[in-house]
Amino acid sequence: MNQRLEAQFAFLLEADRLRRIERQNLILDCSRRENSAEHSWHLALYALVLAPFAGPEVTITRVIQMLLLHDLVEIDAGDHPIDADVDWQAVAQAEQAAASRLFGLLPSDQGAELLALWHEFEQAESPDARFAKHLDHCQPIFQTLYGASPLPDHIEVVHGNLFGGRAAALEQGLPEAYHHALSVLGEATDKDCSALTQRLPFLNEADALKTVLRATWIGDGTRPENSAEHSWHIMLYGWILSEHAKAEINISRVINMLLLHDIVEVDAGDAPIHGTQSPQAQQAQEALEQAAADRLFGLLPAPQSEEFRTLWDEFEAARSPDAVFAKAIDRVQPVLLNLLNGGGSWLEYDVSFEQVQSRVGVKVTRGAPAVWSYVENRIAPWFEENQKP
């Protein structure tokens, strides 16, 4: 068991490096470039929200899983803008080598499964892969077109992408996205895109999660992680570690919970687990999150608004097996990041080993006892060395 967990965590901690890969496009407020980890989270959200546009043969959970891992190869191969003058054959070879290395970190059965899923996405021949590709093509377009102050050359890239570029396939595969993009560019179109446009406010508001900073720092210790990339990382954690759940779980529901669980922080901000909060402050934070859930999920049309809100409420209540496991995963990921970056928020908040056990270990043990047993053994030496007498 420990060897299997060792391999799984080796992969998950290596995946953290995707946060350092900058993309060409900007986040919606145009304050900085987007990184590939938060991009992958946003694509997963696009998949869940735009599921009604997928054909009946499409399995949305597989689409989300493809999008969670599709850019991991950029850790080794880098990101290459679609308008860049590069040797695309060499890029493809580099990505193949990266996929073999990264997925090879996992236990052989899981590594083979993820590598096959990555190849399926790249080949874009299955219904799931084609829909995932369409989302990968349309999300950067809308992020640019709805940006606070998009760069003129980025608008030109969007235009060229729609007219003859890879996004031209949206005209057949996701016509509402294609025609709405044309209309935003000022092109004439008579396509009714209302089913799509009534969902874009939620997707655009969610982009702000990329600006919500958490107490935990990324693995290399250079900056705090944000809540969008955190959500991506714990979705990957939940998927890879699902076999260690204490009770039988539905991994599709767990992944969706983790995808949505921090959306409320767009309005309410993040409340650090090791921060000192009075009962009154905790109640105030909960009220902020409830109001945020009302507003944000209320941006979606029915029945999605009710479905997403119900799933978020279930996660918060942490009574169902799915929610208990999702909460466990939400707690364990920051622990591994702190260990990776030399202490992180443990140092900032002067956290003891006993506090980690009571604030984190109890909840992780509820959902995944074998995972906490492994993690506890990993972090104990750090606290023995760094704990104040």
Side-chain angles (χ1 to χ4, degrees), residues 337-359:
L337 282 186
N338 277 346
L339 189 63
L340 192 63
N341 63 40
S345 62
W346 296 333
L347 295 172
E348 181 179 356
Y349 291 96
D350 192 21
V351 178
S352 69
F353 186 49
E354 291 72 23
Q355 286 173 322
V356 174
Q357 289 173 315
S358 63
R359 297 172 183 175

Side-chain angles (χ1 to χ4, degrees), residues 83-102:
D83 60 331
D85 183 16
V86 298
D87 182 345
W88 291 108
Q89 184 175 358
V91 169
Q93 291 173 348
E95 290 181 344
Q96 289 282 351
S100 296
R101 183 187 78 82
L102 290 162

Side-chain angles (χ1 to χ4, degrees), residues 14-321:
E14 184 72 357
D16 176 78
R17 294 174 58 203
L18 194 64
R19 307 165 190 259
R20 309 178 206 174
I21 306 300
E22 284 193 344
R23 294 167 47 79
Q24 181 184 50
N25 59 287
L26 307 177
I27 62 174
L28 205 67
D29 69 3
C30 294
S31 62
R32 63 167 174 84
R33 293 182 183 273
E34 178 184 55
N35 71 58
S36 292
E38 57 197 8
H39 165 69
S40 297
W41 166 77
H42 210 177
L43 279 178
L45 190 64
Y46 261 69
L48 190 63
V49 171
L50 300 186
F53 297 89
E57 70 280 8
V58 172
T59 302
I60 291 298
T61 297
R62 294 188 79 250
V63 171
I64 290 174
Q65 290 173 324
M66 283 181 187
L67 295 171
L68 290 179
L69 61 82
H70 81 292
D71 271 348
L72 280 173
V73 294
E74 294 181 1
I75 290 171
D76 291 353
D79 177 66
H80 302 278
I82 57 174
D83 60 331
D85 183 16
V86 298
D87 182 345
W88 291 108
Q89 184 175 358
V91 169
Q93 291 173 348
E95 290 181 344
Q96 289 282 351
S100 296
R101 183 187 78 82
L102 290 162
F103 300 130
L105 296 172
L106 284 162
S108 58
D109 58 322
Q110 283 187 318
E113 176 191 350
L114 267 65
L115 182 59
L117 199 61
W118 181 81
H119 279 301
E120 182 181 341
F121 173 82
E122 288 298 305
Q123 291 162 2
E125 294 175 354
S126 70
D128 293 342
R130 285 196 297 270
F131 188 63
K133 282 283 188 181
H134 292 325
L135 298 173
D136 191 27
H137 295 163
C138 79
Q139 183 263 355
I141 287 174
F142 290 130
Q143 191 157 296
T144 298
L145 295 179
Y146 280 93
S149 52
L151 300 174
D153 60 318
H154 287 194
I155 297 292
E156 290 178 13
V157 170
V158 167
H159 193 277
N161 200 7
L162 289 166
F163 292 93
R166 65 185 186 182
L170 292 172
E171 185 172 13
Q172 299 300 320
L174 195 53
E176 293 86 354
Y178 181 82
H179 286 277
H180 179 59
L182 291 186
S183 68
V184 176
L185 285 170
E187 302 285 342
T189 176
D190 57 2
K191 176 74 174 177
D192 180 9
C193 302
S194 58
L196 176 85
T197 56
Q198 63 184 334
R199 289 171 167 84
L200 285 180
F202 175 79
L203 290 169
N204 289 340
E205 282 286 290
D207 193 84
L209 203 64
K210 301 167 187 175
T211 67
V212 177
L213 300 182
R214 295 168 45 82
T216 309
W217 288 56
I218 65 174
D220 66 3
T222 56
R223 63 169 176 83
E225 71 170 351
N226 66 62
S227 292
E229 61 191 358
H230 163 74
S231 297
W232 163 78
H233 208 188
I234 62 170
M235 290 170 74
L236 207 57
Y237 264 67
W239 177 13
I240 297 302
L241 299 176
S242 59
E243 66 189 56
H244 304 294
K246 183 177 181 179
E248 184 176 346
I249 59 169
N250 181 328
I251 189 57
S252 297
R253 300 186 75 252
V254 169
I255 286 175
N256 291 347
M257 281 183 188
L258 295 173
L259 174 57
L260 297 172
H261 83 292
D262 272 347
I263 287 284
V264 296
E265 294 182 4
V266 167
D267 290 353
D270 177 64
I273 187 174
H274 296 303
T276 55
Q277 278 195 325
S278 66
Q280 292 81 7
Q282 290 175 352
Q283 291 176 357
Q285 179 68 23
E286 289 172 5
L288 285 174
E289 292 178 355
Q290 290 289 333
D294 289 341
R295 184 184 81 83
L296 291 162
F297 294 128
L299 295 173
L300 288 163
Q304 271 189 337
S305 55
E306 292 85 356
E307 292 170 354
F308 289 11
R309 176 59 189 268
T310 298
L311 198 62
W312 181 83
D313 285 334
E314 181 182 341
F315 174 85
E316 289 297 304
R319 287 191 289 267
S320 70

